[in-house]
């Protein structure tokens, strides 16, 4: 080994090939270079190809809270009073009174004793699942087959035995539980609302099984907090089962329109995570301005159930229009409106045309976010998408689906 010539690793070509593989499958991701316009949501300024201004149809800011004047005002006020960053980890100088207030508010939102903030929903899932799993020797984690990457990451890091049960399948979960010795710790990890299909979990039935087999329950309510239940506590509040769950996890980045994540649970469990989770301990806490904005947003949504009703009404109208137009709407019980394409190349062609020719921004959803062959558009109407925008979207989709269909055989032949 003289360290010369052909024996030296060619790092760049490894990265180049990794990208080329993604490109070859037609699922290379291009980020739309947009600039949201506060006060004009869901309109955005477009810095990329296409018209200068576009309508956003795929935001997870489900209620437009990111531009709610009271939220922006709280952000400005907090920054002016406390500055930009938090100044440290929660342990070392990074706990501000606003963090305490927001944790109290989130605990109350879910009817739990305590809550704990993280820098994102992703971190809250990976840090909590890994830490709780490590604290329970011999624990088995039962994981829904469609769980989010952040939960899978936490479960892997926990080192626990993992069993994957069929998505939302009560019988398959029970079959798995019955195979585990009754004295072993168990945790059932699942989501309340799956954001790609828009279906919801049988939470009460899963809690019944948890009671019968002595399991803990861990529920990701990321796509439901702020949106379901009388106070926006999520599907678990809507179904009257929040008190039965061991841990409820949520984000401040979607319906609450800010950023950050959290868990809510018993005082002892939350305190144990606070003391043991590296993903909580060793990172600068959320900026006070963000926390002030999120606190305002949570309080606002707890008090404004009518926004949730408008949201559901908007989603129902869009679904009806798509069905009427004969577009391939996938079944969804919730505010998520998925439209099936079934091919990554077509999905990209459709969304490119929508953006550049119609000023409509929808991101194609490809593998690995969804299984191959189920590539789709995922529309997220908000109370701020009016009838004119909706009619325009459906007309554009009808036209573009027809154009891409007509193009496909020609492209295959050529
Ligand atoms: C987006 C998402 C997360 C992560 O939340 P962030 O706050 O965006 O990090 C966790 N779980 C699910 C199901 C999600 O879709």
């Amino acid at each position: 080994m003289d360290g010369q010539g052909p024996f030296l690793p060619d790092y760049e070509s490894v990265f180049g090939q990794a990208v080329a593989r993604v490109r070859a499958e037609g699922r290379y991701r291009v980020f739309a270079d947009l600039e949201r316009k506060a006060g004009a949501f869901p309109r955005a300024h477009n810095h990329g190809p296409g018209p200068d201004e576009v309508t956003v149809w795929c935001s997870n800011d489900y209620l437009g809270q990111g531009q709610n004047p009271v939220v922006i005002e709280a952000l400005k006020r907090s920054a002016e009073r406390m500055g930009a960053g938090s100044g440290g980890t929660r342990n070392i100088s990074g706990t501000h009174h606003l963090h305490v207030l927001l944790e109290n508010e989130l605990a109350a939102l879910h009817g739990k004793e305590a809550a704990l903030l993280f820098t994102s929903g992703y971190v809250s899932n990976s840090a909590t699942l890994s830490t709780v799993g490590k604290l329970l020797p011999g624990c088995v984690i039962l994981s829904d087959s469609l769980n989010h990457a952040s939960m899978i990451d936490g479960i892997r890091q926990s080192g626990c035995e993992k069993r994957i049960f069929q998505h939302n399948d009560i019988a398959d979960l029970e079959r798995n539980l019955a195979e585990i010795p009754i004295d072993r710790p168990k945790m059932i990890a699942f989501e309340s609302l799956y954001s790609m299909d828009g279906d919801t979990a049988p939470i009460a039935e899963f809690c019944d099984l948890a009671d019968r087999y002595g399991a803990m329950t861990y529920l990701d309510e990321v796509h439901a907090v702020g949106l379901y239940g009388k106070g926006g506590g999520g599907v678990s509040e809507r179904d009257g089962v929040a008190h039965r769950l061991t841990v409820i996890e949520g984000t401040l980045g979607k319906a609450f329109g800010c950023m950050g994540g959290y868990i809510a649970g018993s005082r002892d469990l939350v305190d144990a995570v606070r003391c043991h989770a590296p993903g909580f301990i060793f990172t600068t806490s959320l900026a006070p301005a963000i926390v002030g904005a999120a606190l305002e947003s949570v309080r606002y949504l707890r008090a404004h159930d009518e926004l949730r009703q408008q949201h559901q009404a908007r989603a129902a109208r869009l679904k009806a229009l798509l069905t009427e137009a004969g577009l391939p709407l996938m079944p969804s019980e919730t505010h998520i409106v998925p439209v099936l394409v079934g091919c990554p190349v077509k999905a990209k062609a459709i969304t490119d045309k929508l953006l550049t020719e119609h000023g409509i921004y929808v991101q194609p959803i490809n593998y690995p976010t969804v299984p191959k062959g189920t590539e789709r558009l995922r529309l997220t109407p908000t109370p701020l998408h009016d009838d004119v925008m909706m009619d325009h979207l459906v007309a554009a989709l009808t036209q573009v689906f027809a154009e891409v269909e007509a193009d496909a055989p020609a492209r295959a032949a050529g």
Side-chain angles (χ1 to χ4, degrees):
M1 287 290 285
D2 60 4
Q4 272 182 8
F7 298 104
L8 284 174
D10 180 358
Y11 301 110
E12 290 307 311
S13 82
V14 171
F15 302 136
Q17 282 160 21
V19 174
R21 283 197 299 276
V22 175
R23 268 190 204 281
E25 287 178 32
R27 53 182 189 87
Y28 181 72
R29 292 179 187 212
V30 181
F31 298 153
D33 186 359
L34 303 182
E35 185 177 313
R36 287 166 34 121
K37 289 182 161 179
F41 181 87
R43 303 288 285 164
H45 183 61
N46 176 24
H47 289 270
D52 283 348
E53 208 184 272
V54 299
T55 305
V56 178
W57 276 99
C58 56
S59 176
N60 285 336
D61 187 355
Y62 293 123
L63 301 174
Q65 281 292 91
Q67 65 132 45
N68 184 330
V70 305
V71 176
I72 298 173
E73 198 44 52
L75 184 122
K76 289 201 287 202
R77 209 169 50 233
S78 310
E80 275 161 11
R81 282 177 49 201
M82 288 162 250
S86 77
T89 65
R90 285 294 292 279
N91 188 33
I92 305 176
S93 164
T95 295
H96 293 251
H97 187 52
L98 283 173
H99 292 96
V100 178
L101 291 180
L102 181 54
E103 285 174 343
N104 292 342
E105 188 75 23
L106 292 166
L109 173 68
H110 296 292
K112 298 293 181 195
E113 288 174 357
L116 192 67
L117 286 170
F118 297 82
T119 48
S120 74
Y122 189 104
V123 173
S124 62
N125 272 335
S126 70
T128 305
L129 284 163
S130 60
T131 301
V132 170
K134 280 187 187 135
L135 290 172
L136 294 167
C139 183
V140 182
I141 301 182
L142 299 107
S143 176
D144 186 283
S145 63
L146 292 189
N147 273 345
H148 188 257
S150 55
M151 298 170 84
I152 296 169
D153 186 32
I155 294 167
R156 188 177 301 128
Q157 284 184 57
S158 75
C160 291
E161 179 185 332
K162 166 163 107 167
R163 280 175 175 254
I164 297 173
F165 60 92
Q166 293 299 308
H167 175 56
N168 280 350
D169 188 330
I170 300 163
D172 194 46
L173 174 60
E174 171 144 40
R175 190 184 59 71
N176 274 280
L177 282 164
E179 285 176 13
I180 306 168
I182 193 74
D183 58 342
R184 274 185 81 175
K186 304 166 197 73
M187 178 157 57
I188 306 168
F190 61 112
E191 299 177 26
S192 62
L193 194 162
Y194 290 82
S195 70
M196 294 301 150
D197 293 304
D199 55 337
T200 53
I203 305 177
E205 287 81 357
F206 282 5
C207 289
D208 291 344
L209 288 178
D211 290 347
R212 192 168 319 144
Y213 292 91
M216 297 171 61
T217 46
Y218 183 101
L219 180 65
D220 175 319
E221 284 258 37
V222 160
H223 289 278
V225 289
L227 302 176
Y228 293 86
K230 269 273 166 279
V235 180
S236 58
E237 183 189 3
R238 184 196 71 184
D239 294 358
V241 293
H243 63 286
R244 301 186 67 188
L245 293 148
T246 316
V247 177
I248 294 177
E249 182 271 344
T251 185
L252 303 167
K254 291 171 182 168
F256 293 124
C258 298
M259 77 177 296
Y262 66 90
I263 56 164
S266 71
R267 197 171 311 284
D268 285 343
L269 182 143
V270 167
D271 211 22
V273 174
R274 187 180 71 87
C275 300
H276 287 275
F280 172 81
I281 299 170
F282 298 105
T283 190
T284 301
S285 65
L286 286 170
I290 287 293
V291 179
L295 178 61
E296 193 64 42
S297 186
V298 174
R299 285 181 173 159
Y300 187 92
L301 288 189
R302 286 185 80 183
H304 286 81
D305 195 39
E306 77 281 2
L307 263 182
R308 282 180 278 281
Q309 318 221 348
Q310 289 165 21
H311 184 218
Q312 293 301 316
R314 291 280 84 195
R317 180 170 192 268
L318 181 56
K319 288 180 196 172
L321 289 178
L322 291 168
T323 307
E324 210 175 288
L327 286 158
L329 171 69
M330 298 169 75
S332 158
E333 317 147 16
T334 59
H335 63 282
I336 309 286
V337 182
V339 179
L340 183 69
V341 180
C343 159
V345 180
K346 269 192 205 169
K348 172 126 181 31
I350 289 169
T351 55
D352 282 351
K353 271 177 171 289
L354 284 172
L355 185 71
T356 56
E357 295 167 21
H358 300 271
I360 288 170
Y361 172 48
V362 189
Q363 194 64 33
I365 308 284
N366 291 337
Y367 176 83
T369 310
V370 295
K372 287 185 183 170
T374 72
E375 289 81 4
R376 68 195 67 175
L377 314 183
R378 174 183 175 273
L379 305 170
T380 53
T382 72
L384 295 149
H385 287 87
D386 62 22
D387 284 356
V388 175
M389 292 174 187
M390 220 172 255
D391 294 342
H392 175 233
L393 170 73
V394 175
L397 279 172
T398 305
Q399 184 185 335
V400 168
F401 264 71
E403 285 168 2
V404 168
E405 259 335 301
D407 265 10
R411 209 184 297 127

